[in-house]
Amino acid sequence: MMPTDIIDKYYPKNDDLRKILVSHSFAVADKALAIARLHPEMQLDSLFIYEAAILHDIGIFKTNAPEIYCFGTFPYICHGYLGSDILKAENRPSHALVCERHTGTGLSKAYIMENNLPLPQRDMAPVSLEEQIICFADKFFSKTHPGKEKTADKVRKNLAKYGTDSVNKFDEWYEMFLA
Ligand SMILES: [Fe+2]
């Protein structure tokens, strides 16, 4: 099954939510693939980057975020692990990890516990270069304005809510992938 077939399965209607998901996910995929092209020395798996970027937000429909037409019951922050559960059930365990490891610059088990987040208590930070690049690329695109790429400064401001470690991680990635 192609990643777009999995989207079709969970977002069957050509409605506002599907349009948001698809335009956001393709914007993230384009940016992640552009980064991969800049770094042949990293020997990245571009097919995986494409597929996992397309699927990374598959869990959003289960959350409650009416401003982006999500009418589920879970807090929005849960969309990563909810998507992960979906892709594990679809037999895509490596794509599932991208889902659960893309919130902020990744959430550590300690951070989840300290902040009492409604998430499984496990480390959910990107590990492989492909996971890191998708998480990084995702930070440049909101879902409310998926066509508009954010500046790095805007991303830093948005990440501040996760603490300075998160902003520092973004800066580290910026150096690795775009400087
Ligand atoms: Fe995303």
Side-chain angles (χ1 to χ4, degrees):
M1 217 181 338
M2 300 284 290
T4 43
D5 296 325
I6 298 181
I7 291 189
D8 289 344
K9 185 168 165 186
Y10 295 93
Y11 296 78
K13 291 195 301 264
N14 200 18
D15 60 3
D16 292 323
L17 173 56
R18 185 189 157 105
K19 282 179 201 146
I20 285 174
L21 176 75
V22 168
S23 55
H24 170 77
S25 304
F26 275 87
V28 173
D30 279 349
K31 185 157 184 83
L33 289 171
I35 291 169
R37 282 193 297 274
L38 289 173
H39 294 285
E41 80 286 1
M42 292 181 183
Q43 302 197 322
L44 300 157
D45 183 343
S46 292
L47 178 62
F48 177 77
I49 289 177
Y50 166 75
E51 291 182 347
I54 295 303
L55 293 170
H56 78 278
D57 273 328
I58 192 85
I60 57 173
F61 75 96
K62 294 190 172 219
T63 71
N64 185 254
E67 66 283 7
I68 53 164
Y69 310 98
C70 294
F71 302 107
T73 53
F74 290 87
Y76 187 72
I77 197 166
C78 296
H79 77 272
Y81 87 82
L82 294 168
S84 179
D85 288 349
I86 290 171
L87 293 186
K88 279 182 215 155
E90 294 288 347
N91 236 333
R92 293 286 206 290
S94 352
H95 301 71
L97 290 176
V98 173
C99 292
E100 71 177 52
R101 292 176 173 176
H102 87 275
T103 301
T105 56
L107 304 173
S108 69
K109 181 178 175 181
Y111 183 89
I112 291 168
M113 293 174 71
E114 279 160 21
N115 292 279
N116 272 314
L117 298 180
L119 299 174
Q121 295 184 343
R122 60 178 184 253
D123 277 314
M124 292 197 271
V127 176
S128 73
L129 280 173
E130 286 84 354
E131 289 168 5
Q132 294 179 61
I133 286 171
I134 295 167
C135 182
F136 177 69
D138 179 58
K139 304 293 87 77
F140 290 88
F141 300 97
S142 71
K143 290 186 195 67
T144 39
H145 301 95
K148 191 164 181 285
E149 185 167 339
K150 296 179 199 176
T151 62
D153 270 339
K154 174 80 178 154
V155 175
R156 287 188 191 98
K157 284 196 186 94
N158 293 160
L159 282 173
K161 66 173 176 286
Y162 297 105
T164 48
D165 285 357
S166 181
V167 179
N168 292 341
K169 185 81 211 174
F170 174 79
D171 287 338
E172 194 185 301
W173 280 341
Y174 197 93
E175 281 296 309
M176 266 171 85
F177 300 136
L178 286 181

